[in-house]
Amino acid sequence: MRLVLHLVWKDARRLRLAIAGVAGLTFLAIGVGRVPEWVGMAAPVAWMLLAAMAVEGDSLANDRAWWLTRPYGRGTLLISKLVFVAVFVQLPVLGAEMWALNRAGWPPGSSWAGLAVHQLNVGCYAVLPAMAIASVARRAWLWVAGVVVVVLPAAAVAGSESSPPVSWVQMVWTAVVLVGASAAVLGWSYATRRLPAGRVMVAGGAVALMAGWHWLTPPRVYAALETKDFQRIQLKIEEGLVDVGVRSAYLPLTRSAEGQKENEAALIEYFDAEVASERDDGPPVRLRPMPGLAARGLLVAPPEMALRWGDHPLRVRLRAGIAVYRIEEEESVRRLRVGRCRELPMPRGNPTQLPIECVTPFARYEQGGGRGALYLRRVNAPWPGAGSLEVLPRTVLIAAKGEPPPLRRLEPAGFVWRTVELRGVRMVKGGGK
Amino acid sequence: MTPIRAIGLSKRFRKVRALEDLELEVPQGAVYALVGANGAGKTTAIKTLMNIHAPSAGRAEVLGRDSRRLGPAEFARIGYVSENQQMPEWMRVGDYLDFCRPFYPRWDAGALVHQFQLPLDRKLGQLSRGMRMKAALVSSLAYGPELIVLDEPFTGLDALVRDELIEGLLERIEGAAVLISSHDLAEVETFASHAGYLENGRLRFSEEMDSLGARFREVTVTLGAAQSAEWPAEWLNPEWSGPVVRFVDSRYESERTAERLRAMFADIREIEAEAMPLRAIFVALAKAARPGGARE
């Protein structure tokens, strides 16, 4: 261990400026929140660069490297690199997130699971792949090429909220392939220094990622306003993949206040959805009204929420969620995007100071005025693991033009049983009751 | 235990055969000079022995261990310095030596630092080439290695620095085996006990310096008139100048060479044989290896 720390200290001294820069960028991107978007995008790139620089400092690919004939094993060297990134990449991220949470009135201790997930994400999607590619890249441009080919698309897909939606299967696949391939490449390279085989592994990982994304893409789920006054929104799922029909799927929206113009006004919004299935082996689904409270554009909702399968009161363990509530280009369109549904305490103090949490490698906390946040409070928890009420909008809700198309037999895979996925909500001014 | 022993060691880089069937033995206490032209395979041989490159075929033992399995325990007993080694240029000399210290139980760099007058507070990247080599040598001699491997350590250094390096090296190699590749044959000749000549990846000869010096002679034969004759392969680089022919005999034995000359030429007036320095031997071999050159 003393040897490992000796090597870590050596790298820390060599990269002290880079470490300071990355730490500053991390706190700026995560802790401060309201910064230009490029700062948020630059932070993961900086983490990857720092991890790669640590590996490159004792390069495996360079046969002129001075350390090759020094008496420390490559296993020790690998451990020292992992310790380095844990201390100088992962720890600053953790610190910045805890600081941001605390500043927003969320006790970091109550969010340990989310913080751990973030740590894993940073490790899986950024640090480990960057280290693995650096271990087999002979030159800097090869590392850049490897990152562009493997890591950035994976991270972009994992962080994507656009159509087609990324399923949890794809997320898991991406994480497993990235971690597995990275671990294999690092282990092999440091054990043998046979780098051509390591490069083949990197290429294999890239192919596995792409194949996985191709084969695991979920069916798209759409919704459309059912009527011209936009009071009801229909859900439907990509055609052609159906084996079960959705008889009547609608999600009426009502508004009880003037809306966003009134900065200080409270706004109650109700969401209601009912999805009935003709499927024999499952009860129909109905979403009860979900009132939401908004202030200054912040939607705090809903005190009650339940998912029903017809008459079966299968209450979904909706715990807490934070959503982006964003005004799109078209003023009448709002889009709901929920980053995560997890157990969090109600915020202290001003609820409009809620941060927005996303679980992607490009995650950042935003705050200030609370614009664009939706808080879904925990309700009942009838069974463990039911917390994935993904009222979380994975479904794209699109405004109907004229009469909506007739519903056909639809594939409910996107919201079967315990999951209803909504990607966004479109509303038209004055469309409510 | 023989510090270095290579048996049929070969290394290929794709289609290029950099080293072929190297049979090499560096005895304990020997200073073995590995010489050869640029691209002959000296650096490849050393890097393969040091487990920097994996051999394509054959094997080698270094300090009694398979070269492919050299690890921290062996490297703690090996001092390695290479002309093209990339040093941690961001480190100050003192920091570099401090960094190396914990890896070696017998570390003592004080006297060497003093002897080489190393500026401890300057960064390695700011040092002259000579100073960098001195720093590298100090970091590789400070723990009294049993095996010292030096790859072209004197390339590009002025005579004064070379002398200082050699002096410092010789003071600290007692009992250790040294493998040194160098173009600076005049310097190597002063302290090497063995020499091996690599040509196109193959070891042409490997022997003690004494026997090497004994068997190479530059022979000048003065004839009564210009004559032609069939030329033995071991007589290298014949040059005719009227009735005088000069060549390098790579297997010189006074009586035998004279006898063969008399058998070849009817009218020999004079035969002179001069001992050759290592550099002249090396040049003669290199010239002979060129296309069209007579070779051993």
Side-chain angles (χ1 to χ4, degrees):
Chain A
M1 191 60 194
R2 218 174 59 182
L3 200 54
V4 168
L5 294 179
H6 190 60
L7 296 173
V8 171
W9 176 239
K10 185 261 297 177
D11 284 337
R13 290 187 57 202
R14 180 173 71 94
L15 299 171
R16 55 190 180 277
L17 291 180
I19 289 169
V22 168
L25 192 62
T26 301
F27 272 85
L28 200 63
I30 295 176
V32 175
R34 280 199 162 184
V35 289
E37 195 171 351
W38 67 265
V39 175
M41 297 293 287
V45 175
W47 304 334
M48 289 191 281
L49 268 175
L50 185 58
M53 286 164 77
V55 170
E56 189 276 335
D58 299 298
S59 171
L60 295 171
N62 182 1
D63 66 3
R64 298 178 176 186
W66 61 281
W67 69 272
L68 288 171
T69 52
R70 293 293 173 186
Y72 48 93
R74 293 194 291 265
T76 305
L77 189 64
L78 176 57
I79 294 171
S80 79
K81 301 302 176 190
L82 293 173
V83 171
F84 178 89
V85 294
V87 172
F88 297 110
V89 176
Q90 303 273 156
L91 213 55
V93 172
L94 182 66
E97 291 187 334
M98 290 176 71
W99 186 71
L101 278 174
N102 195 51
R103 193 169 156 228
W106 300 72
S110 64
S111 305
W112 62 269
L115 293 170
V117 168
H118 281 209
Q119 288 290 303
L120 280 176
N121 282 338
V122 171
C124 294
Y125 291 107
V127 171
L128 274 181
M131 291 177 74
I133 294 169
S135 73
V136 297
R138 194 180 290 276
R139 294 189 172 81
W141 69 266
L142 283 172
W143 180 82
V144 172
V147 168
V148 168
V149 168
V150 177
V151 180
L152 290 187
V157 168
S160 168
E161 294 174 8
S162 61
S163 185
V166 177
S167 72
W168 68 271
V169 180
Q170 284 176 300
M171 297 281 280
V172 169
W173 174 254
T174 304
V176 165
V177 170
L178 282 179
V179 172
S182 300
V185 170
L186 282 172
W188 172 264
S189 302
Y190 275 86
T192 66
R193 272 192 74 234
R194 293 184 186 174
L195 305 185
R199 289 175 193 132
V200 170
M201 287 184 204
V202 170
V207 170
L209 273 183
M210 290 174 201
W213 294 334
H214 177 74
W215 293 108
L216 300 174
T217 301
R220 297 184 186 193
V221 181
Y222 299 100
L225 292 177
E226 190 180 70
T227 60
K228 285 183 181 176
D229 62 6
F230 305 112
Q231 287 183 350
R232 299 164 83 82
I233 296 175
Q234 283 185 331
L235 299 177
K236 67 172 185 175
I237 301 172
E238 194 170 44
E239 296 177 20
L241 298 167
V242 293
D243 60 2
V244 175
V246 174
R247 193 167 49 207
S248 61
Y250 56 90
L251 204 161
L253 290 172
T254 56
R255 298 175 63 194
S256 63
E258 285 295 318
Q260 306 298 325
K261 295 175 189 170
E262 306 281 348
N263 269 351
E264 300 300 328
L267 171 69
I268 305 293
E269 303 214 18
Y270 292 93
F271 300 83
D272 191 4
E274 183 172 314
V275 181
S277 169
E278 291 175 345
R279 192 168 172 158
D280 293 329
D281 58 351
V285 179
R286 190 167 72 84
L287 275 177
R288 291 206 312 193
M290 304 177 291
L293 173 65
R296 287 186 185 173
L298 172 78
L299 207 59
V300 181
E304 287 181 63
M305 193 165 180
L307 180 63
R308 283 179 176 272
W309 300 86
D311 295 327
H312 298 263
L314 299 181
R315 284 172 177 269
V316 174
R317 189 184 177 192
L318 176 63
R319 298 162 121 189
I322 301 170
V324 179
Y325 188 70
R326 198 166 65 185
I327 305 295
E328 297 292 327
E329 290 173 10
E330 189 184 342
E331 199 178 320
S332 61
V333 175
R334 296 177 193 172
R335 197 172 267 268
L336 271 177
R337 297 183 303 161
V338 176
R340 185 123 183 107
C341 191
R342 43 191 289 258
E343 187 170 11
L344 290 171
M346 287 292 283
R348 299 192 301 261
N350 187 351
T352 65
Q353 292 298 317
L354 286 176
I356 295 163
E357 183 192 50
C358 295
V359 265
T360 72
F362 300 110
R364 66 180 187 278
Y365 290 96
E366 290 179 351
Q367 56 185 65
R371 285 194 179 277
L374 169 67
Y375 180 71
L376 302 177
R377 210 183 71 176
R378 175 181 180 172
V379 283
N380 298 305
W383 66 79
S388 54
L389 165 74
E390 307 199 336
V391 177
L392 309 187
R394 289 288 179 190
T395 307
V396 177
L397 299 181
I398 52 175
K401 290 182 178 175
E403 289 299 317
L407 290 170
R408 299 183 186 177
R409 290 171 62 81
L410 298 173
E411 167 65 53
F415 54 101
V416 288
W417 293 97
R418 294 158 222 159
T419 301
V420 174
E421 293 190 336
L422 311 177
R423 176 154 283 270
V425 176
R426 275 194 164 216
M427 289 173 53
V428 173
K429 270 184 183 171
K433 292 187 218 178
Chain B
M1 177 188 65
T2 305
I4 291 180
R5 174 182 288 140
I7 303 144
L9 197 66
S10 301
K11 178 64 186 174
R12 286 186 182 193
F13 296 102
R14 293 199 174 95
K15 291 180 179 176
V16 178
R17 295 179 174 184
L19 195 64
E20 275 199 84
D21 286 331
L22 178 69
E23 302 282 341
L24 179 71
E25 198 166 308
V26 180
Q28 188 71 47
V31 177
Y32 191 107
L34 193 59
V35 299
N38 285 332
K42 302 185 296 294
T43 296
T44 302
I46 286 178
K47 286 188 171 177
T48 309
L49 289 169
M50 290 292 100
N51 195 25
I52 294 172
H53 294 321
S56 306
R59 66 189 183 88
E61 286 176 10
V62 177
L63 295 176
R65 189 168 172 85
D66 189 320
S67 66
R68 288 168 298 191
R69 307 215 184 293
L70 287 183
E74 288 75 33
F75 283 123
R77 299 156 60 198
I78 298 173
Y80 171 80
V81 175
S82 172
E83 166 254 339
N84 59 16
Q85 203 169 14
Q86 287 178 354
M87 306 278 281
E89 300 196 339
W90 57 275
M91 274 193 193
R92 295 180 196 285
V93 176
D95 295 337
Y96 178 56
L97 297 178
D98 287 343
F99 173 76
C100 293
R101 185 202 318 263
F103 301 121
Y104 305 98
R106 294 194 302 161
W107 181 269
D108 179 14
L112 279 164
V113 168
H114 180 72
Q115 180 179 354
F116 287 141
Q117 296 178 323
L118 281 181
L120 295 176
D121 57 343
R122 285 183 63 188
K123 289 185 177 175
L124 285 165
Q126 297 171 341
L127 297 182
S128 65
R129 184 174 179 76
M131 275 296 176
R132 279 162 57 101
M133 286 310 292
K134 284 181 181 178
L137 202 59
V138 168
S139 71
S140 298
L141 294 179
Y143 47 94
E146 296 168 39
L147 172 63
I148 299 165
V149 180
L150 307 169
D151 185 10
E152 301 279 5
F154 308 127
T155 303
L157 303 183
D158 62 48
L160 180 63
V161 175
R162 269 203 310 259
D163 285 350
E164 286 175 348
L165 283 177
I166 292 170
E167 194 180 323
L169 177 67
L170 292 176
E171 284 175 11
R172 283 169 177 79
I173 61 172
E174 194 174 343
V178 179
L179 173 62
I180 180 169
S181 76
S182 178
H183 281 113
D184 201 331
L185 304 172
E187 299 291 356
V188 168
E189 188 175 22
T190 61
F191 61 90
S193 62
H194 293 67
Y197 177 68
L198 265 176
E199 181 190 286
N200 297 328
R202 288 186 174 277
L203 192 67
R204 292 296 173 194
F205 64 78
S206 174
E207 60 191 285
E208 292 187 29
M209 287 292 284
D210 291 345
S211 69
L212 186 68
R215 78 178 175 91
F216 273 88
R217 285 289 186 277
E218 189 175 41
V219 180
T220 306
V221 183
T222 307
L223 306 171
Q227 301 172 37
S228 63
E230 194 174 333
W231 209 251
E234 66 268 25
W235 291 359
L236 310 177
N237 309 326
E239 290 176 7
W240 287 92
S241 175
V244 178
V245 61
R246 283 196 188 83
F247 64 91
V248 173
D249 188 351
S250 61
R251 290 180 192 165
Y252 179 79
E253 285 175 33
S254 176
E255 292 300 319
R256 182 171 157 273
T257 301
E259 204 170 295
R260 290 184 74 181
L261 282 168
R262 280 190 210 98
M264 286 171 63
F265 303 110
D267 183 17
I268 295 177
R269 296 194 176 166
E270 189 180 12
I271 299 174
E272 284 180 40
E274 287 182 27
M276 298 173 69
L278 183 61
R279 185 177 181 285
I281 295 172
F282 169 76
V283 169
L285 288 169
K287 279 173 72 176
R290 287 180 188 160
R295 52 186 307 157
E296 191 178 5

